[in-house]
Amino acid sequence: IQTVPGDVFLTKSLSEDLKRIYAMGFFEDVRIESEEGPEGKTIIFKVKEKPIIQKINFKGNRVFEDEDLMTTLDIQTGSILNVFSIQRNIKRLEDQYKEKNYQNVKIEYQVEAVEKNQSDLTFSITEGDKVRIKEIVFEGNEAYSDEDLKDELKTSEKGFFSLITSSGDLNKEDLEQDVAKLTAFYQNNGFVQARIGEPEVTFKDNWIYIKVKVHEGPRFEIGKVTLEGDLIWPEDQLMMRVMITEEAYFNREILRNDVVSLTDIYADEGYAYADIIPKLDQDMENQVVHINIKINKGSPVYFEKIIIAGNTRTRDKVIRRELEIYEGELFSGKRLKRSVRNFHRLGYFEDVQVNTRKGSGDDQMILDIDVKEKSTGTFSLGGGYSSVEKFFGTGSITERNLLGYGLTLNLNAQIGSVTQRFSLDLIDPWLFDMPLMGAAGVYKWNYEYDYYEKESTGANIRVGYPVYIDTRLSFKYYYDIADVYNIDEDAAESIKELEGVNVTSAVRGTLRYDSRNQFFYATRGQDHELSVEYAGLGGDINFIKYTGQLSVYFPLVKGLVGFLNTEGGYVTNHGNGLLPDYEKFYLGGIHSLRGFDIWEVSAKDENGDDIGGNSFVQLNAEIHIPLLIKQGVLGVFFYDTGNVYGEGESIDLGNLRQTAGFGIRWNSPMGPIRLERGYILDPEDDEDGNGRWEFAMEAAF
């Protein structure tokens, strides 16, 4: 109300006051009355308040739950019932449906009065059918057909399986990204001047029609490629890193990668702020594009400070010792990337953010490392079923960052009808604050084999040292006391010779190269291992064992990851000591030939009895399929092959056993879970080729 006592009575001014009060939206009716008095007119505003919303209901909604619709509204119970607000919120609800392609949705509202000037508000929703994309057409394209261009889009026309897939759905964000994808597609195939218009989206009946206008322009071949400016290497050496010269037609993605490659070269030499800009010179007459890459290296940059934040539990030195860069040192992009990878490989952090900022001078840089810690303790469970073991279970309690010092404490147990195994290990990856891994462990293992039982008690110590990038040399000494008893009459003679107590004193040397980008669900990198084990430093057991493993992860197409693993081994006795059956090789189970029971694949002696092999080969091939990326769910298809060979037998790659199957792996909040089913592809008479399920589960605590 802008009218105040003492003003001249003006009907127009009071009318404006009335409009302003009504526009507040709180009142159903507003009236102005006046009364004559000795000092003038008394103005009385009479209002009738709108009711308060007591309850909000939805009727007819199937696509969205009531809770989902409520989060869209900006009105709530207890607010004034305002028709303008209701209309605005109907528009918000309609937009919510249209984002899901329910373009024909109709929403009405009803108000039901209740006591004490309150009302219930009900939104009646007629959702209609989901509208899908009927047709995507292009206008102006000559070099590529409509079908070629559709293959580049995430947006697609309605398909046969649209009920269970997203084909035919219209997502505005995807459509915007598709414009960028088409532009990149053309510019990566020589069409430097290609332009893609904003898609025209038309809704007609229950269908969506999309038209995309394309301006291709001429196709340009690669002309001269030159480097100019501050060249820190001879020009011919730098040009060897420039891949655009090998392309027949201009490719913007290749050129962008070349700029990144050159930037990395300069960064590794300390020029963190090198400015590398390609300039295109288009020769319209000859349809050739010449590329001149200008380089301004700037000044060399040094790390002034390295600041670590976010670690509430992990000690500062545990993080700093993973750095391959140091304060006061010349900047190196390559070693900075390796340092970040080292942080991720620790497994202590949920996220690692690395940022750089200018230091006290132009040649100084401050490196900020902000980590977000996660649980490093795991409680793992696994289990399975076999004709030998029946039901069995495995479990472990592991703390990989004990007291924040980076120590690993691991307690393992396996309990089944024929197996009971317990072990305790303590590992320090930086013994004496050096990159020297030190570990010690004790164990007790009871196992009921097919033909005998064995009870082992032992201890071990281990040390390891990095000898090259991602390469570590380690040595292990162990002392094992094994009591072999309850040997069957049908057992092989080599097994009967083991009856009683057998003592093993042995040392094992291992050389391992591991460049995986992460330990769980790696997407690229390699993991190789070569080991030699010598038993005979006292005790009754004498043997030499050689084993090797080669594993590689590599990206395929559309997020698929390939994995190849091959293993092999050979063992022989020496001197007058024994080579026990339990030191020989068997295959089968979730870590070797899936589809076979654990240790089901064995060798035979001269009497046809089952014994461990003196050698083996194994190959595993997998394709990892990202099903739900954010949730960490992978699908797996695998093929396994391998076999075990007895003493004197040559490895025959023509008689390898074969299995194949599928599975699913989930990096759940409780920890990684594996469920896989393998089928024997070449079952023999006494083998089941119908497949076998196996699983393993880990849970964080």
Side-chain angles (χ1 to χ4, degrees), residues 287-314:
Q287 294 187 6
V288 171
V289 60
H290 304 292
I291 303 173
N292 177 245
I293 302 176
K294 293 186 176 183
I295 303 175
N296 178 15
K297 67 181 182 181
S299 301
V301 178
Y302 297 83
F303 288 112
E304 182 179 4
K305 292 181 181 179
I306 300 176
I307 301 174
I308 299 173
N311 53 315
T312 58
R313 182 164 178 263
T314 306

Side-chain angles (χ1 to χ4, degrees), residues 388 449-452 487-488 490-496 498 581-582 584-586 599-614 644 646 649 657 684 686-687:
V388 176
Y449 292 85
D450 288 344
Y451 299 104
Y452 62 96
I487 301 177
D488 288 354
D490 297 335
E493 289 299 322
S494 59
I495 295 177
K496 292 179 179 179
L498 299 174
D581 183 78
Y582 50 80
K584 295 182 180 181
F585 302 113
Y586 291 85
W599 298 348
E600 185 177 354
V601 180
S602 61
K604 304 283 186 181
D605 65 6
E606 63 274 9
N607 299 319
D609 296 321
D610 292 334
I611 58 172
N614 289 71
V644 175
E649 288 186 279
R657 305 305 308 272
E684 296 179 353
D686 57 344
E687 295 173 343

Side-chain angles (χ1 to χ4, degrees), residues 47-331:
V47 298
K48 181 182 180 182
E49 288 185 328
K50 291 182 178 180
I52 302 296
I53 299 176
Q54 175 184 267
K55 189 176 181 183
I56 299 176
N57 302 310
F58 299 95
K59 186 170 64 175
N61 52 305
R62 294 174 292 105
V63 176
F64 296 103
E65 298 291 339
D66 289 3
E67 293 78 7
D68 299 327
L69 297 175
M70 281 297 298
T71 58
T72 301
L73 302 179
D74 62 7
I75 56 176
Q76 56 189 351
T77 56
S79 59
I80 299 294
L81 197 151
N82 187 320
V83 66
F84 301 110
S85 296
I86 294 174
Q87 293 292 349
R88 183 178 67 250
N89 279 272
I90 286 177
K91 179 66 168 57
R92 293 168 69 99
L93 292 172
E94 288 176 345
D95 290 343
Q96 183 176 358
Y97 270 93
K98 288 178 179 179
E99 286 180 2
K100 290 291 186 180
N101 293 317
Y102 287 86
Q103 301 293 331
N104 298 322
V105 61
K106 297 184 185 302
I107 302 177
E108 298 176 341
Y109 75 94
Q110 294 88 36
V111 176
E112 182 181 351
V114 293
E115 59 183 8
K116 297 181 181 179
N117 198 33
Q118 298 186 91
S119 295
D120 290 344
L121 173 63
T122 301
F123 292 98
S124 296
I125 303 172
T126 304
E127 295 175 334
D129 294 328
K130 192 172 188 178
V131 179
R132 296 185 183 271
I133 300 171
K134 176 72 171 179
E135 186 178 50
I136 301 176
V137 297
F138 299 88
E139 185 178 290
N141 53 309
E142 295 180 359
Y144 299 99
S145 67
D146 284 13
E147 295 303 319
D148 292 332
L149 298 182
K150 287 177 187 178
D151 289 341
E152 301 299 320
L153 306 180
K154 185 175 182 179
T155 305
S156 63
E157 297 166 343
K158 178 180 180 297
F160 183 76
F161 296 103
S162 61
L163 291 177
I164 57 176
T165 68
S166 60
S167 67
D169 284 355
L170 175 62
N171 185 302
K172 293 182 179 179
E173 291 183 2
D174 289 344
L175 197 57
E176 290 176 1
Q177 293 176 7
D178 285 338
V179 171
K181 287 181 180 179
L182 284 177
T183 303
F185 172 73
Y186 270 101
Q187 295 188 353
N188 291 340
N189 285 279
F191 295 90
V192 182
Q193 300 177 352
R195 300 291 182 270
I196 309 298
E198 184 177 348
E200 299 176 7
V201 180
T202 304
F203 298 95
K204 187 177 180 181
D205 298 328
N206 289 328
W207 294 105
I208 303 172
Y209 298 85
I210 299 176
K211 179 191 289 187
V212 182
K213 292 184 178 181
V214 178
H215 170 72
E216 294 180 335
R219 192 179 193 187
F220 288 85
E221 296 180 351
I222 294 293
K224 295 180 181 179
V225 181
T226 56
L227 300 175
E228 179 183 330
D230 303 324
L231 306 184
I232 60 175
W233 290 1
E235 185 175 2
D236 57 342
Q237 291 187 28
L238 287 174
M239 286 298 296
M240 291 176 64
R241 301 293 186 93
V242 179
M243 299 293 103
I244 193 68
T245 56
E246 300 180 6
E247 299 294 314
Y249 294 95
F250 177 80
N251 188 310
R252 189 172 297 276
E253 183 178 358
I254 299 295
L255 180 59
R256 187 182 299 113
N257 292 339
D258 288 340
V259 171
V260 172
S261 179
L262 292 172
T263 302
D264 288 344
I265 291 173
Y266 277 74
D268 288 336
E269 298 294 334
Y271 299 99
Y273 302 126
D275 197 10
I276 301 176
I277 302 175
K279 182 181 179 182
L280 306 183
D281 181 13
Q282 301 174 24
D283 183 347
M284 295 297 298
E285 182 178 351
N286 298 307
Q287 294 187 6
V288 171
V289 60
H290 304 292
I291 303 173
N292 177 245
I293 302 176
K294 293 186 176 183
I295 303 175
N296 178 15
K297 67 181 182 181
S299 301
V301 178
Y302 297 83
F303 288 112
E304 182 179 4
K305 292 181 181 179
I306 300 176
I307 301 174
I308 299 173
N311 53 315
T312 58
R313 182 164 178 263
T314 306
R315 312 284 172 156
D316 219 54
K317 71 172 186 177
V318 173
I319 300 176
R320 288 188 180 273
R321 68 194 187 190
E322 297 298 329
L323 290 170
E324 298 188 18
I325 52 177
Y326 307 97
E327 293 178 346
E329 187 183 52
L330 193 65
F331 179 89

